[in-house]
Amino acid sequence: MPITAPPSATTLLAVDLEAVVANWRALQSRLERAECSAVVKADAYGLGATRIAPALAAAGCHTFFVATLDEGIALRPLLPGVTIIVLSGALPGAEDTFAAHAIVPVLNSLSDITCWQDFARKTSTARDAWIHIDTGMNRLGLTSSDARTLAAEPGRLTGLNVLGWMSHLSSADQRFHPASSAQLGRFQQHLARLPKARRSLANSSGLCRGRAFQLDLVRPGAALYGINPTPEVENPQRPVFTFTARVLQVRQVDPGMTVGYGVTHQVTRSGRIATIAAGYADGFFRALGNRSRVFIGGQPAPVVGQVSMDLITVDVTALPESTVWPGCLAEVIGPHRTVDQAATEAGTIGYEILTALSKRCHRVWLPEAK
Amino acid sequence: MPITAPPSATTLLAVDLEAVVANWRALQSRLERAECSAVVKADAYGLGATRIAPALAAAGCHTFFVATLDEGIALRPLLPGVTIIVLSGALPGAEDTFAAHAIVPVLNSLSDITCWQDFARKTSTARDAWIHIDTGMNRLGLTSSDARTLAAEPGRLTGLNVLGWMSHLSSADQRFHPASSAQLGRFQQHLARLPKARRSLANSSGLCRGRAFQLDLVRPGAALYGINPTPEVENPQRPVFTFTARVLQVRQVDPGMTVGYGVTHQVTRSGRIATIAAGYADGFFRALGNRSRVFIGGQPAPVVGQVSMDLITVDVTALPESTVWPGCLAEVIGPHRTVDQAATEAGTIGYEILTALSKRCHRVWLPEAK
């Protein structure tokens, strides 16, 4: 589908909502009986939660995870009737706000549980919650000792409606990593001692690591957005977006000239440089100066010189003049330079490529409103 | 001034508008007679252009630079009576939009000039423009050859009201860098052949490199926001913001435990880990895993384990228990960890630290509305 945008738009993020939904369905088809939720935190990993979450809800998703209460509040009116769960939990003082927006916290400690129980008692209302038991991240969640205390003192759950028990895998992106089965084992041990409720352990990669990890509810994020959940094999997920930026200018350069800040690139033979309207403020990391490339008309154009805040300069000497002109679109992320490739170039993971995407880009939603 | 924020807010960006204005005035005091404009592109380097630009306008700034036309359109209604200039120029087809919002383009090539002249002719209206002559960046602007053509064929400017001639320094952050004086020399040579108009060359660093660089108008950005324009000496500018994030949880850890994704941190002695509500989606670069720190109660807490999207884990064993509790604020950027220090840790420059700041943070403006 051709992308149209006004000439005032110099960077374009085109998100294919159908592909996001297809990715969610593809993950769902791997499940035996678990529910497939959707993780839409950090603005759906930078792609736009206010459009993506409703599209997934329309496709049948009815549980959504966000990182912060504010993210949940922003989505609540767009997602009537679904469960919205806040992973970072309920800080003391935020109880009323959770309740006012019908948002469910993940309780991450015994003190979270006590606090939420106090709230239930004070308001004479049973309160929904998920409870997180840490099994090896040491990041959020009850410690093993806390979980044993909870099992030994079930009165600590009075007044709470425990929707489920969750934990989080540290290393599921690596196939057969011993941490994954160790975490599953620890989780099962805790669950055996605790009241029955739904169980959730797997992120995108985890749900691909066999049915043992899927339990009752899986929580994919990355794979919804086209990141490969199984890096050891070809990506089974569809790419969901392209990020393009306009060529602003094409210039002739000659030996002896330098390009960009700090004169880090010296021109050694005559050629052409195109200046493109995307820089590190648009998520094109500064670390990629002199060592990345974009694609114009499907052909690679290497970045020369440092990345500026709003601009990069690329060598287009090898490209036909007819394919590079002011206003034409350069592919920054897309079929030729995938999210995972961009991540490898930048020495990071696809997740960070996504969340760094510019907020100032012009957004196009495919399929466009019918 | 104490910062207050609702408990639902887990990351806080507190911007001191008075400090931004003071920085602008401090730069202005270095000028002999040049006008001090303000560069507010990329959402005022991530800090919030819709509040910062009006504060500067109220202080007397009357020329503002943005990167893109869309940025200019967003600011236009907030900045009545000032000049807004778009650095990336006018792509063909955008002329009417520039005119409709009374926004001035920087023309970067002979074809830009022709295009803008056609627009003036078509609308029978003289059109304001700045013209950019490249002197060594090879990024945007007329080439030397183009500038000579323009000097030889003054009819190319008919219909244009040239507000000024500009160029851009590549290496002004390095004191006495030979590129700076070479660029100034080339710029002066071109100016001698062209019709008289205002002249602008210096960014934040450039305006500190002596009056020769200041000419008629300077264009500071970074130094307004507290980045050191003269890295060889102590920062003369005031810090303008703090970025803090709440501690979500504090946990006991024991030898043999691991922390975070990919089990990259192994606990070697018993201690305490605090989990903090900021991750790479908030601009805390993933590259800082196991090699950065934040400050809690003024004391350093080293990052252990990888940076997650929404969270970091820090070792607080050395900190008094009374200073670290769920809900307390950790300083991510502030008096103890400055923008420039954060940049050094991350192997980048302060500019990228700023533009990577989260869009999901709760914003507090100091002094708060009176």
Side-chain angles (χ1 to χ4, degrees):
Chain A
M1 194 178 308
I3 297 165
T4 55
S8 64
T10 48
T11 52
L12 306 178
L13 178 67
V15 179
D16 183 344
L17 292 171
E18 209 168 76
V20 177
V21 169
N23 282 342
W24 181 74
R25 292 208 169 104
L27 296 170
Q28 198 180 35
S29 74
R30 292 171 178 252
L31 306 177
E32 193 166 14
R33 53 177 202 80
E35 177 189 344
C36 195
S37 74
V39 178
V40 293
K41 61 194 175 76
D43 197 24
Y45 292 30
L47 296 179
T50 59
R51 293 295 294 266
I52 286 174
L56 289 170
C61 180
H62 43 87
T63 302
F64 291 83
F65 286 88
V66 292
T68 70
L69 178 51
D70 282 345
E71 291 179 347
I73 292 170
L75 290 179
R76 180 77 280 175
L78 305 173
L79 299 173
V82 311
T83 303
I84 300 177
I85 303 167
V86 173
L87 292 164
S88 66
L91 283 170
E95 298 88 344
D96 287 326
T97 313
F98 271 92
H101 298 273
I103 291 172
V104 177
V106 173
L107 305 179
N108 287 305
S109 65
L110 287 180
S111 66
D112 278 6
I113 290 171
T114 302
C115 187
W116 207 240
Q117 192 180 38
D118 288 348
F119 179 56
R121 187 181 306 119
K122 211 177 62 186
T123 56
S124 305
T125 308
R127 292 291 170 186
D128 291 346
W130 275 75
I131 297 179
H132 184 162
I133 300 172
D134 180 62
T135 54
M137 283 288 281
N138 275 303
R139 192 180 64 164
L140 287 175
L142 276 68
T143 63
S144 285
S145 152
D146 290 343
R148 281 191 295 269
T149 301
L150 193 61
E153 302 170 15
R156 287 175 175 270
L157 295 173
T158 306
L160 299 189
N161 178 24
V162 180
L163 298 182
W165 305 99
M166 65 172 276
S167 193
H168 193 67
L169 294 167
S170 71
S171 309
D173 57 328
Q174 295 170 62
R175 195 182 186 189
F176 303 133
H177 195 293
S180 299
S181 45
Q183 288 192 266
L184 175 60
R186 281 194 284 274
F187 192 39
Q188 300 279 28
Q189 280 176 7
H190 288 299
L191 291 170
R193 298 187 207 105
L194 290 161
K196 291 279 168 286
R198 301 175 77 202
R199 305 154 301 160
S200 176
L201 176 63
N203 53 11
S204 294
S205 294
L207 79 86
C208 300
R209 297 310 179 193
R211 291 188 170 163
F213 293 98
Q214 294 172 358
L215 303 174
D216 300 312
L217 180 138
V218 298
R219 309 187 307 268
L224 297 177
Y225 311 117
I227 293 175
N228 189 351
T230 49
E232 74 281 1
V233 297
E234 205 186 331
N235 192 349
Q237 301 300 104
R238 279 171 59 177
V240 306
F241 75 97
T242 59
F243 184 66
T244 51
R246 290 196 198 275
V247 169
L248 295 173
Q249 191 167 3
V250 185
R251 64 195 314 123
Q252 178 71 33
V253 290
D254 294 306
M257 287 182 172
T258 55
V259 179
Y261 283 115
V263 299
T264 63
H265 177 76
Q266 188 96 24
V267 176
T268 54
R269 48 183 186 166
S270 293
R272 284 173 301 127
I273 300 275
T275 302
I276 292 172
Y280 54 79
D282 304 289
F284 199 92
F285 295 121
R286 189 166 169 279
L288 294 175
N290 288 310
R291 51 180 288 261
S292 180
R293 55 193 192 162
V294 300
F295 286 79
I296 301 173
Q299 294 187 63
V303 173
V304 292
Q306 298 220 30
V307 176
S308 302
M309 186 179 293
D310 317 294
L311 302 167
I312 51 175
T313 34
V314 302
D315 188 334
V316 294
T317 310
L319 276 62
E321 290 197 27
S322 61
T323 63
V324 190
W325 71 91
C328 84
L329 288 173
E331 174 191 325
V332 178
I333 300 185
H336 299 90
R337 184 171 179 267
T338 67
V339 174
D340 287 313
Q341 284 163 348
T344 302
E345 278 179 10
T348 186
I349 54 177
Y351 305 65
E352 192 174 23
I353 299 292
L354 286 173
T355 57
L357 288 173
S358 174
K359 295 298 175 283
R360 69 176 164 185
C361 52
H362 181 82
R363 283 168 195 250
V364 179
W365 302 93
L366 310 174
E368 283 178 298
K370 288 172 212 169
Chain B
M1 194 178 308
I3 296 165
T4 55
S8 63
T10 48
T11 52
L12 306 179
L13 179 67
V15 179
D16 183 344
L17 293 171
E18 209 168 77
V20 177
V21 168
N23 282 342
W24 181 74
R25 291 207 170 107
L27 295 170
Q28 198 179 35
S29 74
R30 292 171 177 254
L31 307 177
E32 191 166 15
R33 51 175 203 83
E35 176 189 345
C36 195
S37 74
V39 178
V40 293
K41 61 194 174 80
D43 197 24
Y45 292 29
L47 295 179
T50 59
R51 292 297 293 265
I52 286 174
L56 289 169
C61 181
H62 43 87
T63 303
F64 291 84
F65 286 88
V66 292
T68 71
L69 179 51
D70 282 345
E71 291 179 347
I73 293 171
L75 290 180
R76 181 75 281 175
L78 305 174
L79 300 174
V82 311
T83 303
I84 299 177
I85 302 167
V86 174
L87 292 163
S88 67
L91 283 170
E95 297 88 346
D96 288 325
T97 313
F98 272 92
H101 298 272
I103 291 172
V104 176
V106 173
L107 305 178
N108 288 304
S109 66
L110 287 180
S111 65
D112 278 7
I113 291 171
T114 303
C115 186
W116 208 241
Q117 192 180 40
D118 288 348
F119 179 56
R121 187 180 308 120
K122 211 177 62 187
T123 56
S124 304
T125 309
R127 293 291 170 186
D128 291 345
W130 276 76
I131 297 179
H132 184 161
I133 299 172
D134 180 61
T135 54
M137 283 287 281
N138 275 302
R139 192 179 65 164
L140 286 175
L142 275 68
T143 62
S144 284
S145 151
D146 290 343
R148 281 191 295 269
T149 301
L150 193 62
E153 302 170 17
R156 287 175 174 268
L157 294 173
T158 307
L160 298 189
N161 178 25
V162 179
L163 298 183
W165 304 101
M166 64 173 278
S167 193
H168 193 66
L169 295 168
S170 72
S171 309
D173 56 330
Q174 295 169 62
R175 195 181 184 189
F176 302 134
H177 195 295
S180 300
S181 46
Q183 288 192 265
L184 175 60
R186 281 194 284 273
F187 191 39
Q188 301 278 30
Q189 280 176 7
H190 287 300
L191 291 170
R193 296 188 208 105
L194 290 162
K196 292 279 168 285
R198 300 175 78 203
R199 307 153 300 158
S200 176
L201 176 63
N203 52 12
S204 294
S205 292
L207 77 87
C208 300
R209 297 308 179 197
R211 290 187 171 163
F213 293 98
Q214 294 172 358
L215 303 175
D216 300 310
L217 180 138
V218 297
R219 309 187 306 269
L224 297 178
Y225 311 118
I227 293 175
N228 189 351
T230 49
E232 74 281 2
V233 296
E234 205 184 334
N235 193 350
Q237 300 301 101
R238 279 172 60 178
V240 306
F241 75 97
T242 59
F243 184 65
T244 51
R246 290 197 197 275
V247 170
L248 295 173
Q249 189 168 5
V250 186
R251 63 197 313 123
Q252 177 70 33
V253 290
D254 295 305
M257 287 181 170
T258 55
V259 179
Y261 283 115
V263 299
T264 63
H265 176 77
Q266 188 98 25
V267 177
T268 54
R269 48 184 186 165
S270 293
R272 284 175 300 126
I273 300 276
T275 302
I276 292 171
Y280 54 79
D282 304 289
F284 199 91
F285 293 121
R286 189 167 168 278
L288 294 175
N290 288 310
R291 49 180 289 258
S292 181
R293 55 192 193 162
V294 300
F295 287 79
I296 302 174
Q299 294 186 63
V303 173
V304 292
Q306 298 219 31
V307 176
S308 301
M309 186 179 292
D310 316 294
L311 301 167
I312 51 174
T313 34
V314 302
D315 189 333
V316 294
T317 309
L319 277 64
E321 288 197 30
S322 60
T323 62
V324 191
W325 71 90
C328 84
L329 288 173
E331 175 191 322
V332 178
I333 300 185
H336 299 89
R337 184 172 179 265
T338 67
V339 174
D340 287 313
Q341 283 163 348
T344 302
E345 278 180 11
T348 185
I349 53 177
Y351 305 64
E352 192 174 24
I353 299 292
L354 286 173
T355 58
L357 287 173
S358 175
K359 295 297 176 281
R360 69 177 163 184
C361 51
H362 182 81
R363 284 169 193 248
V364 179
W365 302 95
L366 309 174
E368 285 180 296
K370 288 172 212 168

